[in-house]
Amino acid sequence: MSLSNMKLKVTVWRQAGPNAQGAFKDYDLDNISPEMSFLEMLDTLNEQLNDRGEEPIAFDHDCREGICGSCGVMIDGVPHGPERGTATCQLHMRKFQSGAHIKIEPFRASSFPINKDLSVDRSAFDRIIESGGYISAPTGTAPDANLIPIPKGVADVSMDAAQCIGCGACVAACPNGAAQLFTSAKIQHLNLMPQGQAERWDRTINMVDTMENFFGSCTNHGECEAACPKEISIDFIALMNRDFVKAQLKQRRLAGQVFP
Amino acid sequence: MTLESNIPEGAIADKWDNHKFNVKLVNPANKRKFTIIVVGTGLAGASAAASLAELGYDVKIVSFHDSPRRAHSIAAQGGINAAKNYKNDGDSVHRLFYDTVKGGDFRAREANVHRLAQVSVNIIDQCAAQGVPFAREYGGMLDNRSFGGAQVSRTFYARGQTGQQLLLGAYQAMMRVVGLGMAELYNRTEVLEVVVKDGVACGVVCRNLVSGEVFSLAGHAVVMATGGYGNAFYLSTNAMQSNVTAAWRAHKQGAYFANPCYTQIHPTCIPASDDFQSKLTLMSESLRNDGRIWVPKEANDTRPAAQIPEEDRDYYLERRYPAFGNLVPRDIASRAAKREVDNGRGVGPQKNGVFLDFGAAIDRLGEDVIRDRYDNLFEMYDRITDENPYKMPMRIYPAVHYTMGGLWVDYNLMSNLPGLYVLGEANFSDHGANRLGASALMQGLADGYFVLPYTIGDYLAPMLGKPVVTAADPAFKAAETKVGDLTKKMLSIKGKRSVDDIHRELGKVLWDNCGMGRTEATLTKAISEIPAIREEFWTNVKVLGSNESMNQSLERAGRVADFLEFGELMCRDALHRKESCGGHFREEYQTEDGEALRDDENFAYVGAWEWEGVGNDPTLHKEQLTFENVHLATRSYK
Ligand SMILES: Cc1cc2nc3c(=O)[nH]c(=O)nc-3n(C[C@H](O)[C@H](O)[C@H](O)COP(=O)(O)OP(=O)(O)OC[C@H]3O[C@@H](n4cnc5c(N)ncnc54)[C@H](O)[C@@H]3O)c2cc1C
Ligand code: FES
């Protein structure tokens, strides 16, 4: 039944550990079905490597439905590969020609150190969230959910931002390794909501500061939006920048009041 | 040992309130003296960790994911139930309670289910306050939909990404307390042993998945929120890394495993395309609100769907269940699809699916309306199958999706091992033999936000000032050695077969013999075959690499080793339960028209199994279930 009729050459980044020297290695595959997902192609390669006594390639993945944000590699230099709005796990081999030569690398960014092969450490994103990416509403404090109506349009835009899966493709795509798209999506998801107003200005300052500690700076290339598997708009970066300026002004005014 | 469910006294509607008043409290200033280890950061674990730290407990959080936000809960699509009655359509706490007990085919504990329905309303409030962007009506109020066959609209949702948004809410609340130094987080860390001393759970042994380092965490209580075991079947809709290891290793330390045979098969998944298939993808149940399910009337009809005229189609659910039609509960829809495929009326290249057709809905409502409701699902389907559901019907088939069984817990969510609490899909508690759609998210968050924070104090309060077992205790050292030895053993076999290959073999045995339909013969067969696969694993598995670096084959090997023991228990449980109920369909026990035939006289109990060693018969303990508020009746969806 199987349509295993594609032949491929893949060039894969192999690196034994966080501090080891890495290198590219070539592999030939001749039993790839167009129905396979990209990760199933890697599974198939790993089975072959295991059979011949070579350690399988480490790569992150979990849901394989484009929602957990675990997967993500550079495919021919593009985060998540050639299909727009698609995470690596949802990319299928039918998007490639038989005979293709595909180069596979980990997401490259100084703030994402390599764990092994194609797996990177993206915990800097967790640091950004813990610095302010929440609404402080300890369990039990909430009023009835319908007490605060939210216009549908606002809820929808907030949801557009909240869809971010935290995969890091935006950082990998950016020539500067900046994390503006990720950070702005999270800030704006919360800043747009009525519930998010109380902490709006502190959240913006704290998250932007933390982001700048870890990541490069944004020079408006827009590569991030093109790479985002959820097609999150760079308009959120503009909104974040606006909020950041306002927040700084407010901070200054407050400082003025405290230290006249 | 007798199983004490510790259900509080009083009328069903008062039990929880009475209990909250009667439990012992830990003084706010003393809470920081208690260390609680939370394993897992799905909805259940993240909500528990955040809430416990907010109360002031010293919390340590462990997850094998690279970020807590990636837990399998993130993948839930459809929604979360709550008895808010915002639609004014007759919903109430009592109705949600009633529906859940009945939907669970009378195999759940009434008191737990009632509590779940009660706190469901608080969950929505909590999540809205955290900024979860739920779907809204034009007036700004929360929107609801009817889901999974419910007669009222009580399901809250955030597009097709409800699990993601709820998990991000809980994750953010949790990261807030981590950032404030109120909790400590261990990412990419797998719990491989639960440490029990003098019968009491006092910590866990972990392995750092990047460095391979093995270390212990000691605490006053261990909270396990490690998800379900659906991946025992190899192919399921669960995330690839979901597994039974933490629960199973607790079981081997004495925790009872309840109702492992209750597995839920979801009717609307994309059929497998070939052997390389690594997992199955769910198409949200909400699609059944507008899609019509059919197969060709004649077996082996290979015409494309569009060329099969109406009179040659069999809308078998509408025909057999006129009242509920395409919205019958999951177990019924799944078995009906299996029956059609088994009768040769399956569709698609492998004849392993049935059609889910939106043609009539598009004609009636217009493509725009359908696009508005389901576009992200249609797109996902198209991406996976290369077929456009606006133009041709989807092909769907049932797949393993959720596990109702899990570690046994009492009303306080504590297992029979004092100090070990189990939350979310990992416990057995609230769904009986079948879970209703949109109720798992509700249960996970109920357990974590609103149940455990009350009940755990009752256990901890008397421990104040008493000596605690530390990680330097010999019990911890012994457990660490055991973990290290197991790793060495797996690396030293150096056989011929990969971990996945052996897992696939186990999965096939389970699916064929303990899947949608089970019989004494198939189960006996599986029980005789599984030990051989286990033997094959321990003599012929090939795990390359070392312990001292990231080693994903090694991680999977440990999990598959546990599935190989667990799978046998699942079959034994299914064999002993000589009745059909919910997701457990024993073909010998069915009504004339093919519906599940329960045996309330003999089987209205929770079957909780005690470990007796590999290959030995486990011991069954029974917790009798009584139904005082929802009267035992045969489910009918005709
Ligand atoms: C595709 C899909 C769609 C679904 N849709 C819905 C829906 O619409 N509505 C609904 O109500 N339910 C739905 N469900 C069910 C629901 O998503 C799950 O039952 C629920 O999310 C489980 O949550 P949990 O917190 O119990 O566990 P999980 O979310 O599975 O989390 C488990 C956690 O435990 C950790 N863990 C596990 N083992 C270890 C270990 N040994 N060491 C360290 N950490 C460990 C993991 O890292 C993870 O953080 C769906 C399920 C699937 C598969
Ligand atoms: S594996 Fe989850 S997004 Fe790709």
Side-chain angles (χ1 to χ4, degrees), chain B residues 267 288 293 316-317 326 328-338 398:
Chain B
R288 285 202 279 147
I293 294 177
Y316 57 88
L317 288 177
N326 295 298
V328 290
R330 293 176 174 179
D331 52 336
I332 293 178
S334 295
R335 279 199 298 278
K338 175 172 159 42

Side-chain angles (χ1 to χ4, degrees), chain A residues 39 61-71 87-89 165:
Chain A
L39 298 185
H61 65 97
D62 199 21
C63 72
R64 298 205 175 188
E65 292 188 8
I67 191 75
C68 74
S70 299
C71 69
T88 306
C89 58
I165 61 173

